[in-house]
């Protein structure tokens, strides 16, 4: 289950859920922990 603070692939930390569809797909804002600037990323769970 996805939740804020969860780390994916030992690299991306989820920050906030941006949306969810009726089919259960989710879109999340995450940061890249390996980048010095912690570049924001968007993830979609389908």
């Amino acid at each position: 289950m996805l939740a804020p603070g969860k780390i994916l692939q030992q690299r991306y930390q989820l920050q906030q859920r941006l949306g969810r569809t009726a089919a259960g797909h989710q879109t999340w804002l995450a940061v890249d922990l390996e980048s010095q600037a912690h570049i924001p990323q968007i993830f979609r769970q389908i």
Side-chain angles (χ1 to χ4, degrees):
M1 173 169 235
L2 299 178
K6 182 171 181 146
I7 298 176
L8 304 175
Q9 298 178 347
Q10 300 177 352
R11 179 173 181 169
Y12 304 101
Q13 183 176 33
L14 297 177
Q15 299 295 303
Q16 133 184 32
R17 188 171 73 182
L18 301 175
R20 182 176 181 190
T21 67
H25 300 177
Q26 298 180 40
T27 304
W28 284 84
L29 174 65
V31 292
D32 183 347
L33 299 175
E34 290 187 7
S35 105
Q36 291 182 2
H38 293 286
I39 298 171
Q41 306 285 319
I42 300 294
F43 282 92
R44 181 101 194 252
Q45 178 195 28
I46 47 177

